[in-house]
Amino acid sequence: MKRKTKLILTLFIGVFGVFASEEVRISQFRYAGPVEVRQPVLTDSVNVQGKAYDAKSLLKSDLAFDKLLSHAVILEADTSGSVTFEAPEKKNALHLLSFYLNSDRYTKGTLEITGSGSFEVYVNHRSVGNTSELTIEPKRYEVVVKYLTMEADTCPPTLKAIYKSKDSAEVAASLNPEKKYTMEEMLEGKDFRGG
């Protein structure tokens, strides 16, 4: 009887180990903003393609991520993992929120970014979806969220970020910009300077 109980308990723990997933909640963000963006002067209600103007197209405005984030402040998330920041009244503005993901080995996972407004997510300066599957190598990944607050918004802007993986790799979120150099970077000479 004891053997059966031990066997069932061992199988139960083993099954939980297989289906358990690693979840990394981002608790700190580097924040830069607000950067005011103005709506274009509309002379007609439609553009050249015949489409009506959408205020969310302001999200497509170009921003120099590195330059703006060099003067970033640190925002702490609350107990639920959400971060709230100030939006200017009666103005449209863009905000940048950033963090780094570091992994100790190759892993696949899902990056989920949720918020109360309109935003775009970039991983290493490439646009990805709000919920995106990532294959992470053992190096540093910079995640930047470009968030649009509009003058018509009624609720304060909030953002929450979670990385989920079913693998046992150690994925850590940090604000430290130091990076690990991989064999590919050493062979191809990317990101090296000096003499």
Side-chain angles (χ1 to χ4, degrees):
M1 186 66 177
K2 286 186 179 183
R3 281 183 155 174
K4 286 183 182 179
T5 307
K6 286 182 182 179
L7 179 66
I8 291 173
L9 184 60
T10 304
L11 288 174
F12 187 69
I13 291 172
V15 168
F16 262 125
V18 170
F19 291 111
S21 65
E22 296 286 323
E23 184 174 284
V24 178
R25 289 183 182 267
I26 292 41
S27 60
Q28 291 183 322
F29 293 86
R30 290 177 26 198
Y31 169 77
V35 176
E36 185 180 346
V37 288
R38 298 179 188 252
Q39 293 185 350
V41 177
L42 298 175
T43 58
D44 198 359
S45 60
V46 294
N47 63 11
V48 178
Q49 288 92 19
K51 295 180 183 174
Y53 173 74
D54 183 16
K56 292 184 181 182
S57 65
L58 293 173
L59 195 55
K60 301 293 182 194
S61 301
D62 289 330
L63 290 179
F65 292 166
D66 295 334
K67 189 178 236 183
L68 286 170
L69 288 170
S70 67
H71 303 291
V73 296
I74 296 174
L75 295 180
E76 297 281 339
D78 60 13
T79 55
S80 69
S82 297
V83 66
T84 304
F85 49 94
E86 294 292 322
E89 293 181 23
K90 309 276 187 198
K91 293 180 183 177
N92 298 324
L94 288 172
H95 310 261
L96 293 180
L97 294 105
S98 163
F99 60 91
Y100 298 102
L101 287 176
N102 296 299
S103 178
D104 66 336
R105 63 187 78 144
Y106 292 91
T107 183
K108 288 186 177 182
T110 305
L111 178 65
E112 295 177 0
I113 311 281
T114 56
S116 60
S118 301
F119 57 90
E120 287 183 343
V121 181
Y122 297 87
V123 176
N124 288 348
H125 298 284
R126 290 190 181 135
S127 181
V128 297
N130 299 354
T131 301
S132 55
E133 293 289 325
L134 297 178
T135 301
I136 292 185
E137 298 175 10
K139 64 180 185 179
R140 180 198 73 173
Y141 289 84
E142 181 181 24
V143 179
V144 177
V145 179
K146 185 166 49 166
Y147 195 105
L148 174 67
T149 55
M150 298 177 33
E151 57 185 279
D153 288 349
T154 56
C155 61
T158 60
L159 192 81
K160 183 177 183 179
I162 298 173
Y163 178 79
K164 295 179 183 178
S165 174
K166 291 185 179 177
D167 298 335
S168 63
E170 287 188 34
V171 178
S174 74
L175 301 179
N176 186 359
E178 290 183 10
K179 62 193 271 183
K180 297 177 186 176
Y181 287 102
T182 62
M183 187 60 75
E184 177 186 359
E185 290 171 323
M186 290 181 199
L187 291 173
E188 293 184 7
K190 292 181 182 178
D191 301 323
F192 284 103
R193 294 187 181 141

